[in-house]
């Protein structure tokens, strides 16, 4: 039996651990949290911080791992380090850094001629006003190294820049923030697999975004609401990123904004889209088991990718009013629905709902799949009407 080391064992990583186990591999996994939701699927679990490169290396060695995999963004640089030390197939450390540090990503994209917004990197001690005035308002202000849109806001003037830059700074580990031209247009993302530089696109979505100034997602529609030129432009952007960053294998999640049939890069990641898109939505949309593919690929095994169909799917986040929840009803009926491949409400009676500012503060979501857009719209409406959340002191 071969052993795979999975870095990160939380809620979103759980399907990777369970699938690897089902495929007959021995799974060793670590996570900073002793109570990680996926730990029961690991043959060996240890509470080690995903960012602790030496600690994870030592863990992989002690338990004779032969491959490494992570579905967490913060795990990518660690996986690259372990893979170099133990000679496993994985991305190089330089690529792992460029894929997880937004400043490094922008610099490389610029050198490679990949379309990106105008940007400035602002160091910890640097003045933010001068670069902001250089770029013109409105701007996007964001941390150099975080995810889930934490600390990302739109800034309209000098006054808003003060709070925006301090929020972004609170959300970085290196103190660097980015100011960027606020690109207008329709946002979307692509999920794709690379195998020896060959790209297979699993799905392209268009997004409905949160109200300003925040920029978390409200809804992802598969296939995206794009015409054929727009799709071609997103595909070209993906090819340029794969070539320019020298991506050879693995999954890629690429975010873009399209205007006038021209896609520009927001960012890409060397893991699938979060919120169970890769584990639940893509298999239901296409019939392709991406998780199994990635587990095998971690050992250097290349399998044929077959996309058997192209259904319609939606990932919709549940946004609730602010207040203290008294009761939640309808969950069982929603879960019974055959169109619903995933549904989660992270709140329970007695919990307080805060207003959402980023991806982490969204209280829940569902993923539904159907043969036609009309059926899908009906299913989404059914779910909306069936979920009943009551509040204390309404
Ligand atoms: N230059 C830009 N122009 C327009 N919108 C942008 C720009 N940069 C970021 N955004 C918006 O902010 C969102 C979050 O930014 P970004 O993806 O860089 O941060 P993140 O924390 O990695 O987010 P996530 O994990 O949610 O993808 C994007 O999805 C996009 O809507
Ligand atoms: Mg993003």
């Amino acid at each position: 039996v071969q052993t795979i080391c999975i870095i990160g064992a939380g809620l979103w990583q759980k399907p990777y651990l369970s699938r690897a186990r089902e495929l007959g591999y021995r799974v060793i996994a670590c996570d900073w949290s002793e109570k990680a939701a996926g730990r029961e699927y690991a043959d060996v679990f240890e509470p080690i911080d995903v960012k602790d490169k030496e600690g994870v290396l030592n863990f992989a060695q002690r338990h004779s791992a032969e491959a490494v995999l992570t579905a967490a963004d913060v795990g990518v640089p660690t996986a690259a380090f372990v893979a170099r030390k133990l000679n496993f197939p994985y991305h190089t450390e330089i690529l792992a850094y460029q894929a997880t540090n937004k400043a490094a990503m922008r610099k490389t994209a610029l050198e490679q001629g990949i379309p990106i917004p105008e940007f400035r990197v602002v160091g910890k001690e640097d003045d933010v006003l001068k670069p902001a005035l250089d770029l013109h308002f409105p701007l996007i202000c964001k941390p150099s190294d975080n995810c889930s849109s934490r600390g990302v806001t739109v800034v309209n003037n000098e006054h808003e820049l003060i709070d925006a830059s301090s929020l972004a700074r609170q959300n970085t580990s290196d103190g660097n923030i980015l100011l960027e031209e606020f690109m207008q247009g329709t946002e979307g993302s692509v999920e794709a697999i690379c195998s020896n530089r060959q790209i297979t696109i699993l799905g392209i979505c268009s997004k409905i975004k949160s109200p300003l100034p925040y920029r978390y997602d409200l809804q992802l529609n598969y296939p995206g609401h794009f015409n054929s030129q727009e799709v071609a432009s997103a595909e070209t952007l993906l090819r340029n990123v794969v070539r320019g960053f020298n991506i050879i294998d693995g999954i890629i999640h690429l975010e873009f904004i399209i205007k006038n049939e021209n896609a520009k890069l927001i960012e890409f990641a060397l893991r699938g889209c979060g919120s169970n898109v890769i584990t639940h939505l893509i298999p239901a949309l296409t019939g392709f088991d991406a998780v199994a593919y990635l587990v095998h690929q971690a050992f250097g095994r290349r399998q044929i990718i077959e996309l058997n169909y192209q259904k319609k799917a939606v990932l919709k986040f549940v946004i609730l009013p602010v207040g203290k929840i008294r009761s939640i009803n309808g969950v069982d009926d929603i879960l019974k629905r055959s169109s619903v491949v995933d549904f989660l409400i992270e709140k329970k009676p007695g919990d307080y709902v805060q207003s959402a500012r980023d991806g982490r503060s969204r209280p829940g979501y569902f993923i539904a799949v159907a043969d036609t857009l009309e059926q899908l719209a009906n299913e989404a409406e059914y779910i909306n009407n069936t979920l009943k959340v009551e509040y204390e002191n309404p």
Side-chain angles (χ1 to χ4, degrees), residues 196-385:
N196 204 11
R197 300 178 205 274
Q198 288 291 313
I199 303 169
T200 307
I201 293 178
L202 307 178
I204 302 184
C205 74
S206 58
K207 302 185 181 186
I208 299 176
K209 303 292 296 184
S210 68
L212 296 175
Y214 305 114
R215 291 284 72 194
Y216 55 89
D217 298 335
L218 290 178
Q219 185 170 328
L220 277 58
N221 296 308
Y222 289 84
H225 301 169
F226 295 119
N227 66 30
S228 56
Q229 320 291 348
E230 291 171 327
V231 170
S233 153
E235 291 177 359
T236 302
L237 176 65
L238 173 68
R239 275 196 297 279
N240 289 337
V241 166
V242 168
R243 190 163 26 89
F245 284 82
N246 199 17
I247 301 169
I248 298 167
D249 286 311
I251 191 157
I252 168 164
H253 164 75
L254 182 145
E255 301 176 340
F256 60 85
I257 288 183
I258 292 195
K259 193 186 170 194
N260 301 330
E261 297 175 351
N262 245 318
K264 286 190 187 177
L265 179 68
I266 301 173
E267 59 161 356
F268 71 90
L270 299 173
R271 46 135 182 107
C273 178
S275 304
N276 284 348
V277 167
I278 288 301
T279 56
H280 293 62
L281 188 149
I282 293 291
L285 184 75
T286 66
F288 173 63
D289 186 344
V291 175
Y293 180 94
L294 293 171
V295 170
H296 289 305
Q297 202 189 50
F299 290 91
R301 300 196 173 100
R302 289 181 201 286
Q303 297 194 306
I304 292 167
I305 302 177
E306 278 181 78
L307 306 178
N308 297 313
Y309 36 79
Q310 191 58 249
K311 296 197 180 192
K312 319 290 175 195
V314 67
L315 161 64
K316 188 167 180 184
F317 292 94
V318 173
I319 301 297
L320 296 173
V322 173
K324 190 170 178 192
I325 296 179
R326 189 174 61 208
S327 65
I328 301 177
N329 285 298
V331 173
D332 290 344
D333 287 337
I334 293 171
L335 285 169
K336 274 189 222 138
R337 200 83 178 166
S338 64
S339 63
V340 175
V341 296
D342 195 18
F343 175 75
L344 177 73
I345 285 279
E346 289 184 87
K347 297 286 177 195
K348 48 185 193 318
D351 285 353
Y352 195 85
V353 179
Q354 310 273 4
S355 71
R357 298 212 297 184
D358 54 36
R360 289 297 157 96
S361 47
R362 293 173 299 209
Y365 69 89
F366 65 82
I367 294 174
V369 177
D371 287 323
T372 67
L373 285 177
E374 197 187 347
Q375 284 167 6
L376 191 62
N378 289 340
E379 292 304 314
E381 196 182 314
Y382 170 86
I383 296 163
N384 277 336
N385 295 339

